[in-house]
């Protein structure tokens, strides 16, 4: 890529921002004035970093409506201080009512975890997905088609991440305090834009294995 092209790509983002601001103000002259006061999003989103899965756009929501955390393959890893901080703030300060883990089919992270290739540092992150595979090996081994196997691992991975959320003290504390909190698992289909609700939602009273339960 020439230096000129490199700069023009960069400049197009800033130009795009100006156009976006003009469009918003045309719709509603008070748009930024209203948003600048505070945020009160009812939803927290844990999604994949994949550029094809922007939380607001695919749910037809606007700035101010979704509190977002994204990482490779939408993981809920209990040692991840970044995810835990976003979750804690969402539950204790913003009082979100829904936390959604949204994976997507054709996820590079899932495909990499299914392979035996070394990718470097990221292998440590992907090992969390390999652990999900080990938990569900019996089911996954029955699926011979590689694409269908990856799709099913994507769904099982989201399901496990929803379960991981329910193991956190932050979520259990919110439920103990009778906050109206639900957690959900979705998979977005990059080939048609539709979200597949896996119907693995959890709320206060949902089954959690005893060993993960905290006393309050
Ligand atoms: Co992905």
């Amino acid at each position: 890529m020439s230096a000129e092209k490199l700069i023009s790509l960069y400049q197009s983002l800033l130009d795009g921002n100006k156009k976006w601001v003009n469009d918003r103000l045309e719709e509603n002259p008070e748009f930024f004035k209203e948003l600048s006061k505070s945020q009160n999003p009812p939803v927290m989103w844990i999604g994949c970093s994949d550029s094809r899965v922007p939380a607001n756009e695919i749910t037809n929501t606007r700035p101010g409506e979704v509190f977002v955390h994204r990482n490779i393959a939408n993981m809920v890893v209990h040692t991840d201080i970044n995810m835990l901080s976003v979750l804690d703030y969402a539950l204790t300060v913003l009082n979100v009512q829904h936390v959604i883990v949204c994976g997507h089919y054709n996820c590079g992270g899932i495909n990499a975890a299914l392979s035996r290739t070394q990718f470097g540092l990221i292998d440590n992150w992907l090992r969390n997905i390999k652990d999900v595979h080990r938990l569900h090996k019996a089911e996954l081994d029955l699926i011979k088609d590689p694409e269908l196997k990856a799709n099913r691992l994507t769904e099982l991975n989201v399901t496990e991440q929803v379960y991981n959320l329910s193991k956190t003290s932050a979520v259990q504390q919110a439920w103990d305090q009778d906050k109206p909190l639900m957690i959900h698992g979705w998979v977005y289909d990059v080939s048609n834009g539709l979200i597949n609700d896996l119907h693995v939602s959890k709320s206060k009273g949902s089954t959690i294995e005893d060993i993960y339960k905290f006393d309050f």
Side-chain angles (χ1 to χ4, degrees):
M1 191 185 269
S2 70
E4 213 169 77
K5 260 196 181 158
L6 199 70
I7 294 294
S8 96
L9 172 73
Y10 164 77
Q11 187 57 44
S12 71
L13 300 179
L14 293 168
D15 294 344
N17 168 252
K18 287 203 184 77
K19 183 185 179 317
W20 179 77
V21 168
N22 286 336
D23 289 351
R24 295 292 76 73
L25 290 174
E26 220 165 85
E27 277 174 18
N28 174 9
E30 304 295 306
F31 185 79
F32 295 102
K33 205 173 161 193
E34 287 165 9
L35 270 179
S36 66
K37 288 175 200 153
S38 66
Q39 67 164 338
N40 189 24
V43 175
M44 175 181 164
W45 177 275
I46 299 176
C48 184
S49 298
D50 192 302
S51 61
R52 298 166 297 178
V53 197
N56 279 127
E57 204 160 332
I58 66 173
T59 55
N60 202 26
T61 49
R62 311 293 300 262
E65 293 185 82
V66 186
F67 196 60
V68 174
H69 176 80
R70 290 168 73 176
N71 61 41
I72 288 169
N74 40 271
M75 303 302 288
V76 176
V77 177
H78 70 278
T79 51
D80 177 2
I81 197 76
N82 185 350
M83 180 280 299
L84 290 173
S85 301
V86 178
L87 180 67
D88 186 69
Y89 189 77
L91 298 186
T92 60
V93 179
L94 298 174
N95 290 310
V96 302
Q97 289 132 49
H98 300 278
V99 180
I100 295 160
V101 178
C102 186
H104 67 102
Y105 298 118
N106 203 2
C107 179
I110 295 287
N111 292 336
L114 274 168
S115 82
R116 295 174 63 168
T117 308
Q118 282 196 59
F119 294 94
L121 178 70
I122 196 177
D123 297 333
N124 299 287
W125 187 254
L126 298 177
R127 194 165 63 230
N128 294 297
I129 306 172
K130 289 180 185 276
D131 291 342
V132 171
H133 187 286
R134 180 174 52 80
L135 280 173
H136 297 277
K137 190 173 184 300
E139 178 184 346
L140 289 164
D141 279 353
L142 294 174
I143 307 171
K144 296 299 167 211
D145 181 81
E147 195 181 329
L148 294 179
K149 191 195 286 279
N151 287 352
R152 186 60 187 142
L153 179 57
T154 300
E155 295 168 358
L156 292 168
N157 184 51
V158 166
T159 303
E160 288 298 331
Q161 304 321 310
V162 170
Y163 193 25
N164 285 349
L165 277 174
S166 75
K167 297 171 194 168
T168 63
S169 52
V171 165
Q172 290 189 27
Q173 192 170 42
W175 283 337
D176 179 68
Q177 293 171 352
D178 281 322
K179 290 187 179 178
L181 171 68
M182 293 185 79
I183 50 185
H184 313 274
W186 292 354
V187 180
Y188 174 75
D189 190 335
V190 287
S191 72
N192 63 18
L194 292 170
I195 287 166
N196 178 16
D197 181 350
L198 298 179
H199 299 290
V200 293
S201 301
K202 285 186 179 286
S203 53
K204 185 182 165 83
S206 290
T207 314
I208 302 172
E209 272 187 62
D210 273 345
I211 196 70
Y212 296 121
K213 280 186 195 157
F214 294 111
D215 284 332
F216 288 92

